[in-house]
Structure formats: structure tokens, C-alpha cells
Amino acid sequence: SQDAERARGATDTARERESEMKRLSLAKRQMAWEAVGYRPSAGQMLVHSSRAEWLLVAGGWSGGKSYFGAQEMLPHLLMPGQWKFHLVGKTYKEPRAEFEYILAGLEKFGQEMGMPGLVPKSEISMPKDGAWRLRVAHLAKGGGLVLGASLETVSAEDPLAIRAFTSDGAVLCESAVLG
């Protein structure tokens, strides 16, 4: 029947989206890293190469954890579609380093690919207090730009607020202080 066919189609679409939400292949991530000049160390590449769905990177101060997390997320923001990504910290301040690394990477990627408007200035919000946000633009099939993935910082100060949002991917920033 038509209803059964429609239900099968909805299930297939849900499965496709579910499979797309997993980490991108290492080869796809490396293409983005090449464009932005990211050259992971041997230790970083060992973790980037992991097939695990969830990663935990720990280390001392100035060990490169924030930069690693930003580079792991950056290629996912380049995927076409309305993806939602989050940087979660104890407060809104903890994820700012990762946000700045990602923004710089997206801008460099746009320049390298001849798309200087990849992150339109009107789609960047970095207030002194509160959440920081950006949206990435993609080339539309007929030409021009269409808004795609979004990135937002989130504070864990209100646990109920975290439970209320949907995310296609997240980086926990300064996870040791999240409690």
C-alpha cells in the first residue's frame, strides 16, 4: 500500500540521516585539514584515525586539546545540510577557544576554496556574555549561497537547557571541570 511505502521511505531517510551523523571518514577530514594547513602530530593522528564514535582527549595545559577538538569538528561543519553542532563548557567562556579556532579554520577554508563568504559576517555572533553562534554557507545547486550547518557554544550551568536541545555533534570543552 501507499502508506507502507511512505513509511518505508521515511525509515530509509531516517537511516540515511543517522549514518551521516557519525564522524566523517579520516580521508574527508584530511581534505579539509589540508586546505586549512592543519598537520596533526603522530599522537593526534592516532586519535583522529580511531574508528570510535566517541573520543576523549586528555592532557596538560597547552597540550593542544582545544585545537584538536576544533579540527575534529571543523570538517563536519562543511557538510551540506542543516546540521547543528555544539561546543559545551561549564560556562559560555570555556568553549571560546575552540569556537575561535573553528571560525579561523572556516575562514581559511573559504579563502583557499575561493569562497570568501563561507561564514557570512551577518551569521557570526560573539557577544561579551552568553552563547556564541555561527552559520556556514554552502553553494546552492543553482548558484548562490544557502545557509547550512550551525555552531553554538553551550553552558552546562543549566543542565535542563542541555537536555532540551538536539545536536548532530558536540565537543565537551574543558571536560574535567564539567563535574
Side-chain angles (χ1 to χ4, degrees), residues 8-31:
R8 246 190 324 276
T11 302
D12 291 344
T13 301
R15 277 193 202 116
E16 288 171 17
R17 181 159 170 85
E18 184 178 302
S19 69
E20 290 175 334
M21 283 190 276
K22 305 226 184 291
R23 290 174 61 216
L24 292 174
S25 70
L26 180 60
K28 287 182 180 178
R29 287 179 281 139
Q30 286 177 312
M31 285 190 295

PDB file of all heavy atoms in Angstrom, residues 8-31:
ATOM      1  N   ARG A   8       8.159   3.109   4.706  1.00  0.00           N
ATOM      2  CA  ARG A   8       9.473   2.571   4.361  1.00  0.00           C
ATOM      3  C   ARG A   8      10.412   3.681   3.925  1.00  0.00           C
ATOM      4  O   ARG A   8      11.574   3.726   4.300  1.00  0.00           O
ATOM      5  CB  ARG A   8       9.328   1.531   3.241  1.00  0.00           C
ATOM      6  CG  ARG A   8       9.686   0.137   3.657  1.00  0.00           C
ATOM      7  CD  ARG A   8       9.781  -0.847   2.494  1.00  0.00           C
ATOM      8  NE  ARG A   8       8.835  -0.669   1.405  1.00  0.00           N
ATOM      9  CZ  ARG A   8       7.592  -1.150   1.379  1.00  0.00           C
ATOM     10  NH1 ARG A   8       7.145  -1.842   2.400  1.00  0.00           N
ATOM     11  NH2 ARG A   8       6.810  -0.959   0.340  1.00  0.00           N
ATOM     12  N   GLY A   9       9.902   4.615   3.138  1.00  0.00           N
ATOM     13  CA  GLY A   9      10.717   5.746   2.682  1.00  0.00           C
ATOM     14  C   GLY A   9      11.171   6.613   3.841  1.00  0.00           C
ATOM     15  O   GLY A   9      12.326   7.042   3.897  1.00  0.00           O
ATOM     16  N   ALA A  10      10.284   6.861   4.808  1.00  0.00           N
ATOM     17  CA  ALA A  10      10.639   7.657   5.981  1.00  0.00           C
ATOM     18  C   ALA A  10      11.709   6.943   6.799  1.00  0.00           C
ATOM     19  O   ALA A  10      12.649   7.558   7.295  1.00  0.00           O
ATOM     20  CB  ALA A  10       9.404   7.924   6.837  1.00  0.00           C
ATOM     21  N   THR A  11      11.578   5.614   6.923  1.00  0.00           N
ATOM     22  CA  THR A  11      12.569   4.832   7.668  1.00  0.00           C
ATOM     23  C   THR A  11      13.912   4.890   6.959  1.00  0.00           C
ATOM     24  O   THR A  11      14.948   5.068   7.587  1.00  0.00           O
ATOM     25  CB  THR A  11      12.096   3.369   7.823  1.00  0.00           C
ATOM     26  OG1 THR A  11      10.835   3.381   8.487  1.00  0.00           O
ATOM     27  CG2 THR A  11      13.087   2.553   8.622  1.00  0.00           C
ATOM     28  N   ASP A  12      13.903   4.735   5.623  1.00  0.00           N
ATOM     29  CA  ASP A  12      15.153   4.807   4.865  1.00  0.00           C
ATOM     30  C   ASP A  12      15.808   6.172   5.027  1.00  0.00           C
ATOM     31  O   ASP A  12      17.013   6.265   5.211  1.00  0.00           O
ATOM     32  CB  ASP A  12      14.904   4.531   3.379  1.00  0.00           C
ATOM     33  CG  ASP A  12      14.516   3.078   3.105  1.00  0.00           C
ATOM     34  OD1 ASP A  12      14.736   2.238   4.005  1.00  0.00           O
ATOM     35  OD2 ASP A  12      13.991   2.807   2.011  1.00  0.00           O
ATOM     36  N   THR A  13      15.016   7.253   4.973  1.00  0.00           N
ATOM     37  CA  THR A  13      15.552   8.604   5.143  1.00  0.00           C
ATOM     38  C   THR A  13      16.150   8.766   6.537  1.00  0.00           C
ATOM     39  O   THR A  13      17.233   9.331   6.700  1.00  0.00           O
ATOM     40  CB  THR A  13      14.449   9.660   4.910  1.00  0.00           C
ATOM     41  OG1 THR A  13      13.948   9.477   3.590  1.00  0.00           O
ATOM     42  CG2 THR A  13      14.992  11.066   5.061  1.00  0.00           C
ATOM     43  N   ALA A  14      15.468   8.252   7.553  1.00  0.00           N
ATOM     44  CA  ALA A  14      15.987   8.341   8.922  1.00  0.00           C
ATOM     45  C   ALA A  14      17.295   7.578   9.042  1.00  0.00           C
ATOM     46  O   ALA A  14      18.240   8.048   9.675  1.00  0.00           O
ATOM     47  CB  ALA A  14      14.955   7.797   9.915  1.00  0.00           C
ATOM     48  N   ARG A  15      17.379   6.395   8.405  1.00  0.00           N
ATOM     49  CA  ARG A  15      18.624   5.620   8.450  1.00  0.00           C
ATOM     50  C   ARG A  15      19.757   6.374   7.756  1.00  0.00           C
ATOM     51  O   ARG A  15      20.883   6.387   8.225  1.00  0.00           O
ATOM     52  CB  ARG A  15      18.420   4.268   7.776  1.00  0.00           C
ATOM     53  CG  ARG A  15      17.808   3.250   8.672  1.00  0.00           C
ATOM     54  CD  ARG A  15      17.926   1.855   8.070  1.00  0.00           C
ATOM     55  NE  ARG A  15      16.907   1.035   8.673  1.00  0.00           N
ATOM     56  CZ  ARG A  15      15.897   0.478   8.022  1.00  0.00           C
ATOM     57  NH1 ARG A  15      15.778   0.615   6.724  1.00  0.00           N
ATOM     58  NH2 ARG A  15      15.004  -0.242   8.659  1.00  0.00           N
ATOM     59  N   GLU A  16      19.464   6.985   6.615  1.00  0.00           N
ATOM     60  CA  GLU A  16      20.489   7.754   5.896  1.00  0.00           C
ATOM     61  C   GLU A  16      20.994   8.884   6.771  1.00  0.00           C
ATOM     62  O   GLU A  16      22.191   9.092   6.898  1.00  0.00           O
ATOM     63  CB  GLU A  16      19.915   8.322   4.602  1.00  0.00           C
ATOM     64  CG  GLU A  16      19.683   7.281   3.530  1.00  0.00           C
ATOM     65  CD  GLU A  16      18.909   7.848   2.352  1.00  0.00           C
ATOM     66  OE1 GLU A  16      18.830   9.087   2.218  1.00  0.00           O
ATOM     67  OE2 GLU A  16      18.378   7.050   1.576  1.00  0.00           O
ATOM     68  N   ARG A  17      20.078   9.650   7.379  1.00  0.00           N
ATOM     69  CA  ARG A  17      20.489  10.763   8.226  1.00  0.00           C
ATOM     70  C   ARG A  17      21.285  10.252   9.418  1.00  0.00           C
ATOM     71  O   ARG A  17      22.297  10.823   9.784  1.00  0.00           O
ATOM     72  CB  ARG A  17      19.285  11.570   8.692  1.00  0.00           C
ATOM     73  CG  ARG A  17      19.688  12.744   9.563  1.00  0.00           C
ATOM     74  CD  ARG A  17      18.604  13.808   9.583  1.00  0.00           C
ATOM     75  NE  ARG A  17      18.871  14.807  10.592  1.00  0.00           N
ATOM     76  CZ  ARG A  17      19.652  15.859  10.413  1.00  0.00           C
ATOM     77  NH1 ARG A  17      20.241  16.050   9.262  1.00  0.00           N
ATOM     78  NH2 ARG A  17      19.833  16.732  11.383  1.00  0.00           N
ATOM     79  N   GLU A  18      20.861   9.152  10.018  1.00  0.00           N
ATOM     80  CA  GLU A  18      21.573   8.600  11.165  1.00  0.00           C
ATOM     81  C   GLU A  18      22.992   8.234  10.774  1.00  0.00           C
ATOM     82  O   GLU A  18      23.938   8.519  11.498  1.00  0.00           O
ATOM     83  CB  GLU A  18      20.830   7.366  11.682  1.00  0.00           C
ATOM     84  CG  GLU A  18      21.446   6.785  12.935  1.00  0.00           C
ATOM     85  CD  GLU A  18      20.657   5.598  13.441  1.00  0.00           C
ATOM     86  OE1 GLU A  18      19.458   5.756  13.708  1.00  0.00           O
ATOM     87  OE2 GLU A  18      21.258   4.512  13.560  1.00  0.00           O
ATOM     88  N   SER A  19      23.175   7.625   9.597  1.00  0.00           N
ATOM     89  CA  SER A  19      24.516   7.232   9.185  1.00  0.00           C
ATOM     90  C   SER A  19      25.365   8.460   8.867  1.00  0.00           C
ATOM     91  O   SER A  19      26.566   8.438   9.033  1.00  0.00           O
ATOM     92  CB  SER A  19      24.460   6.284   7.986  1.00  0.00           C
ATOM     93  OG  SER A  19      24.027   6.968   6.840  1.00  0.00           O
ATOM     94  N   GLU A  20      24.748   9.536   8.404  1.00  0.00           N
ATOM     95  CA  GLU A  20      25.504  10.745   8.089  1.00  0.00           C
ATOM     96  C   GLU A  20      25.980  11.464   9.344  1.00  0.00           C
ATOM     97  O   GLU A  20      26.914  12.229   9.295  1.00  0.00           O
ATOM     98  CB  GLU A  20      24.638  11.701   7.264  1.00  0.00           C
ATOM     99  CG  GLU A  20      24.381  11.208   5.861  1.00  0.00           C
ATOM    100  CD  GLU A  20      23.417  12.108   5.122  1.00  0.00           C
ATOM    101  OE1 GLU A  20      22.598  12.787   5.763  1.00  0.00           O
ATOM    102  OE2 GLU A  20      23.478  12.122   3.898  1.00  0.00           O
ATOM    103  N   MET A  21      25.316  11.251  10.467  1.00  0.00           N
ATOM    104  CA  MET A  21      25.663  11.983  11.678  1.00  0.00           C
ATOM    105  C   MET A  21      26.915  11.434  12.344  1.00  0.00           C
ATOM    106  O   MET A  21      27.451  12.044  13.232  1.00  0.00           O
ATOM    107  CB  MET A  21      24.496  11.965  12.662  1.00  0.00           C
ATOM    108  CG  MET A  21      23.411  12.926  12.283  1.00  0.00           C
ATOM    109  SD  MET A  21      22.196  13.108  13.570  1.00  0.00           S
ATOM    110  CE  MET A  21      21.144  11.720  13.226  1.00  0.00           C
ATOM    111  N   LYS A  22      27.385  10.298  11.950  1.00  0.00           N
ATOM    112  CA  LYS A  22      28.596   9.739  12.536  1.00  0.00           C
ATOM    113  C   LYS A  22      29.796  10.552  12.051  1.00  0.00           C
ATOM    114  O   LYS A  22      29.696  11.359  11.152  1.00  0.00           O
ATOM    115  CB  LYS A  22      28.725   8.284  12.140  1.00  0.00           C
ATOM    116  CG  LYS A  22      27.485   7.471  12.519  1.00  0.00           C
ATOM    117  CD  LYS A  22      27.832   6.206  13.161  1.00  0.00           C
ATOM    118  CE  LYS A  22      26.634   5.352  13.462  1.00  0.00           C
ATOM    119  NZ  LYS A  22      25.759   5.830  14.466  1.00  0.00           N
ATOM    120  N   ARG A  23      30.933  10.316  12.673  1.00  0.00           N
ATOM    121  CA  ARG A  23      32.139  11.042  12.262  1.00  0.00           C
ATOM    122  C   ARG A  23      32.433  10.804  10.790  1.00  0.00           C
ATOM    123  O   ARG A  23      32.272   9.708  10.282  1.00  0.00           O
ATOM    124  CB  ARG A  23      33.320  10.574  13.103  1.00  0.00           C
ATOM    125  CG  ARG A  23      33.230  11.012  14.546  1.00  0.00           C
ATOM    126  CD  ARG A  23      34.325  10.429  15.411  1.00  0.00           C
ATOM    127  NE  ARG A  23      35.626  10.839  14.949  1.00  0.00           N
ATOM    128  CZ  ARG A  23      36.694  10.032  14.987  1.00  0.00           C
ATOM    129  NH1 ARG A  23      36.615   8.806  15.419  1.00  0.00           N
ATOM    130  NH2 ARG A  23      37.853  10.468  14.571  1.00  0.00           N
ATOM    131  N   LEU A  24      32.888  11.850  10.133  1.00  0.00           N
ATOM    132  CA  LEU A  24      33.308  11.726   8.738  1.00  0.00           C
ATOM    133  C   LEU A  24      34.527  10.816   8.655  1.00  0.00           C
ATOM    134  O   LEU A  24      35.296  10.695   9.615  1.00  0.00           O
ATOM    135  CB  LEU A  24      33.668  13.100   8.170  1.00  0.00           C
ATOM    136  CG  LEU A  24      32.534  14.090   7.988  1.00  0.00           C
ATOM    137  CD1 LEU A  24      33.089  15.442   7.548  1.00  0.00           C
ATOM    138  CD2 LEU A  24      31.511  13.581   6.995  1.00  0.00           C
ATOM    139  N   SER A  25      34.722  10.247   7.506  1.00  0.00           N
ATOM    140  CA  SER A  25      35.897   9.389   7.314  1.00  0.00           C
ATOM    141  C   SER A  25      37.163  10.224   7.499  1.00  0.00           C
ATOM    142  O   SER A  25      37.163  11.451   7.305  1.00  0.00           O
ATOM    143  CB  SER A  25      35.889   8.775   5.919  1.00  0.00           C
ATOM    144  OG  SER A  25      36.132   9.770   4.949  1.00  0.00           O
ATOM    145  N   LEU A  26      38.237   9.555   7.841  1.00  0.00           N
ATOM    146  CA  LEU A  26      39.519  10.235   8.010  1.00  0.00           C
ATOM    147  C   LEU A  26      39.918  10.936   6.709  1.00  0.00           C
ATOM    148  O   LEU A  26      40.393  12.072   6.738  1.00  0.00           O
ATOM    149  CB  LEU A  26      40.601   9.249   8.435  1.00  0.00           C
ATOM    150  CG  LEU A  26      41.993   9.830   8.645  1.00  0.00           C
ATOM    151  CD1 LEU A  26      41.983  10.897   9.744  1.00  0.00           C
ATOM    152  CD2 LEU A  26      42.992   8.722   8.974  1.00  0.00           C
ATOM    153  N   ALA A  27      39.690  10.294   5.563  1.00  0.00           N
ATOM    154  CA  ALA A  27      40.057  10.898   4.276  1.00  0.00           C
ATOM    155  C   ALA A  27      39.310  12.215   4.053  1.00  0.00           C
ATOM    156  O   ALA A  27      39.906  13.198   3.606  1.00  0.00           O
ATOM    157  CB  ALA A  27      39.765   9.923   3.134  1.00  0.00           C
ATOM    158  N   LYS A  28      38.025  12.264   4.383  1.00  0.00           N
ATOM    159  CA  LYS A  28      37.256  13.506   4.216  1.00  0.00           C
ATOM    160  C   LYS A  28      37.743  14.580   5.177  1.00  0.00           C
ATOM    161  O   LYS A  28      37.853  15.750   4.805  1.00  0.00           O
ATOM    162  CB  LYS A  28      35.764  13.247   4.420  1.00  0.00           C
ATOM    163  CG  LYS A  28      35.132  12.499   3.275  1.00  0.00           C
ATOM    164  CD  LYS A  28      33.649  12.300   3.488  1.00  0.00           C
ATOM    165  CE  LYS A  28      33.050  11.542   2.308  1.00  0.00           C
ATOM    166  NZ  LYS A  28      31.627  11.278   2.496  1.00  0.00           N
ATOM    167  N   ARG A  29      38.036  14.185   6.409  1.00  0.00           N
ATOM    168  CA  ARG A  29      38.547  15.174   7.369  1.00  0.00           C
ATOM    169  C   ARG A  29      39.908  15.692   6.920  1.00  0.00           C
ATOM    170  O   ARG A  29      40.185  16.882   7.010  1.00  0.00           O
ATOM    171  CB  ARG A  29      38.614  14.567   8.779  1.00  0.00           C
ATOM    172  CG  ARG A  29      37.220  14.420   9.391  1.00  0.00           C
ATOM    173  CD  ARG A  29      37.239  13.788  10.780  1.00  0.00           C
ATOM    174  NE  ARG A  29      37.384  12.351  10.620  1.00  0.00           N
ATOM    175  CZ  ARG A  29      38.145  11.568  11.375  1.00  0.00           C
ATOM    176  NH1 ARG A  29      38.828  12.071  12.381  1.00  0.00           N
ATOM    177  NH2 ARG A  29      38.216  10.276  11.157  1.00  0.00           N
ATOM    178  N   GLN A  30      40.749  14.816   6.389  1.00  0.00           N
ATOM    179  CA  GLN A  30      42.079  15.224   5.936  1.00  0.00           C
ATOM    180  C   GLN A  30      42.010  16.216   4.779  1.00  0.00           C
ATOM    181  O   GLN A  30      42.864  17.096   4.681  1.00  0.00           O
ATOM    182  CB  GLN A  30      42.914  13.999   5.551  1.00  0.00           C
ATOM    183  CG  GLN A  30      43.387  13.234   6.775  1.00  0.00           C
ATOM    184  CD  GLN A  30      44.162  11.984   6.411  1.00  0.00           C
ATOM    185  OE1 GLN A  30      43.722  11.189   5.576  1.00  0.00           O
ATOM    186  NE2 GLN A  30      45.308  11.801   7.050  1.00  0.00           N
ATOM    187  N   MET A  31      41.022  16.088   3.907  1.00  0.00           N
ATOM    188  CA  MET A  31      40.881  17.059   2.804  1.00  0.00           C
ATOM    189  C   MET A  31      40.655  18.461   3.367  1.00  0.00           C
ATOM    190  O   MET A  31      41.239  19.430   2.884  1.00  0.00           O
ATOM    191  CB  MET A  31      39.734  16.658   1.879  1.00  0.00           C
ATOM    192  CG  MET A  31      40.069  15.491   0.983  1.00  0.00           C
ATOM    193  SD  MET A  31      38.841  15.174  -0.315  1.00  0.00           S
ATOM    194  CE  MET A  31      37.408  14.716   0.619  1.00  0.00           C
TER     195      MET A  31
END
